[in-house]
Amino acid sequence: MKYSASKENHLKAIFHLQHEQGIVTTNALAAALQTRPASVTDMLKKLKEQKLLLYERYKGFRLNNEGKKAAIQVIRKHRLWEYFLVKKLQFGWDEVHEIAEELEHISSKKLVDRLDAFLGFPDTDPHGDPIPDSQGRFLQRRQISLSELPLNKLAQVSAIASQTSEMLELLQYNHIQLGTRLLISRKFPFDNSLEVKIRSRPPVTLSAQVAKNVLVKDDE
Amino acid sequence: MKYSASKENHLKAIFHLQHEQGIVTTNALAAALQTRPASVTDMLKKLKEQKLLLYERYKGFRLNNEGKKAAIQVIRKHRLWEYFLVKKLQFGWDEVHEIAEELEHISSKKLVDRLDAFLGFPDTDPHGDPIPDSQGRFLQRRQISLSELPLNKLAQVSAIASQTSEMLELLQYNHIQLGTRLLISRKFPFDNSLEVKIRSRPPVTLSAQVAKNVLVKDDE
DNA sequence: AATTAAATTTAGACAAATCTAAAATTAAAA
DNA sequence: TTTTAATTTTAGATTTGTCTAAATTTAATT
Ligand SMILES: [Mn+2]
Ligand SMILES: [Mn+2]
Ligand SMILES: [Mn+2]
Ligand SMILES: [Mn+2]
């Protein structure tokens, strides 16, 4: 099956949202796609027609198995291209998302699998997100949000949940990137902001909003 | 300037046709793009509106400088991606065209230039066609059609003018590919077919139609 | 030169994807 | 439990790119 770029974008966004929330709402999807709720409703009808999602008017929606499979293939393409751009073409990790947003819609399955092999079957993209394999299998890693990390416990940045360029710019400014080892040296209950220490650097302060979107795992 | 995939396809096809014919006709373009003359007329109006071509109704058309520049950028992308697919992803030269037909519409200029550098600034694509550089400069090579090659003169295949998969399949069957050294051992005036010899192989016969589309250059 | 044929353009339609404004439904507040 | 507010859907339009069928213009034949 081959879907339009717009359909693929919708499938992917629904997949991400339902991973966080179970059921997805029209407004949430419209916000994620920077489009209008009315446009989302239009697309939902088409996706339901094609039996890619479960949907009844006014009651929210979610992907069925077929829809998930399709979404995962798009995610696979997106992340493999991001990996290619960073590792082979020397792009920065904060400038590949938009380009991958276009490349992910190239349809050749053979191309994706060859690219995968060429890259040595990587299992995480430049932002630390897992890359599904050819059969759509994920290796899901146990990672927590930086805001849940206990005080003074060393951890390693493993993924960035919100990948807007504004977010990435802020992190880069604070010398935080994939693989950075850090710990929380202080918590401020007033606004839930955190003071974070990175080895041999002055500490930096992160808002709760930022911390929530930085995912970490135990340091080895 | 960024143009739609359809506009880019039209620009590229017009460029190729006017290279051969000077002025381009509606029917020729429709045939090249596998579309209808009426659709071509519609698009011509838009391209003229955007000042990419010279066009007056019923009188044919051709790209202006702006249009040529745009077309060359598309050709550059197409051929760089073809080179990538063959040299890095191990595709055969006869299976890359369709995929490149999609990849050529990815818009990032930076991506193309990085890809170019990654590939080592190649100057011909897998079919022997020259790859324009970042400024749109071509290195045009003096090549002639196999049908114009004198009898018994050794030459080397440098490009294939018609790159349909049917054509490429036929050539592959006859062991003719880019770089193949050959000579014409006999000409048959009745139908302008040719007997062609490739070193250490039994001679093969090619129709005039095939020979016209095989381009050769002097053997070093 | 008149007629026929070919090429090209116009007129009108359609599908996909999006939008705004208004209506319908559901959720929250008084 | 009314009333108000938020969410979601519908109705109707718009843009882009395409098509068929008919009309127009140009080219080729008799
Ligand atoms: Mn996308
Ligand atoms: Mn990513
Ligand atoms: Mn194309
Ligand atoms: Mn080529």
Side-chain angles (χ1 to χ4, degrees), chain A residues 50 54 82 129 186 190 199:
Chain A
Q50 276 170 81
L54 308 166
E82 282 189 341
D129 296 313
R186 229 181 133 163
F190 175 67
R199 192 169 52 108

Coordinates of all heavy atoms in Angstrom, one line a residue, chain A residues 50 54 82 129 186 190 199:
Chain A
Q50 N -10.3 3.9 4.5 CA -9.3 2.9 4.1 C -8.9 1.9 5.2 O -7.9 1.2 5.1 CB -8.0 3.7 3.7 CG -8.1 4.2 2.3 CD -7.0 5.2 2.0 OE1 -5.8 4.8 1.7 NE2 -7.3 6.5 2.0
L54 N -9.7 3.4 13.9 CA -11.0 3.2 14.5 C -11.5 4.6 14.9 O -10.8 5.3 15.6 CB -10.8 2.4 15.8 CG -10.1 1.0 15.5 CD1 -9.6 0.4 16.8 CD2 -11.0 0.1 14.7
E82 N 17.3 10.6 8.9 CA 18.0 11.5 9.8 C 19.4 11.0 10.1 O 20.4 11.7 10.2 CB 17.2 11.6 11.1 CG 16.0 12.5 11.0 CD 15.3 12.8 12.3 OE1 15.6 12.0 13.3 OE2 14.6 13.8 12.4
D129 N 16.1 8.2 19.4 CA 14.8 7.4 19.2 C 15.1 6.1 18.5 O 15.9 6.1 17.5 CB 13.8 8.3 18.4 CG 13.4 9.5 19.2 OD1 13.1 9.4 20.4 OD2 13.4 10.6 18.6
R186 N 20.0 20.3 42.0 CA 19.0 21.0 42.8 C 17.6 21.0 42.2 O 17.5 21.1 40.9 CB 19.5 22.4 43.0 CG 19.4 22.8 44.5 CD 19.8 24.2 44.7 NE 18.8 24.8 45.6 CZ 19.0 25.9 46.3 NH1 20.1 26.5 46.3 NH2 18.0 26.3 47.1
F190 N 9.1 25.6 43.7 CA 8.2 26.7 43.3 C 7.7 26.5 41.9 O 6.5 26.6 41.6 CB 8.9 28.0 43.5 CG 8.1 29.2 43.0 CD1 6.9 29.5 43.7 CD2 8.4 29.9 41.9 CE1 6.1 30.6 43.2 CE2 7.7 31.0 41.4 CZ 6.5 31.3 42.1
R199 N 29.4 17.4 33.8 CA 30.8 17.3 34.3 C 31.7 18.4 33.7 O 31.6 18.6 32.5 CB 31.4 15.9 33.9 CG 32.7 15.6 34.5 CD 33.0 14.1 34.3 NE 32.9 13.8 32.9 CZ 34.0 13.5 32.1 NH1 35.2 13.5 32.6 NH2 33.8 13.2 30.8

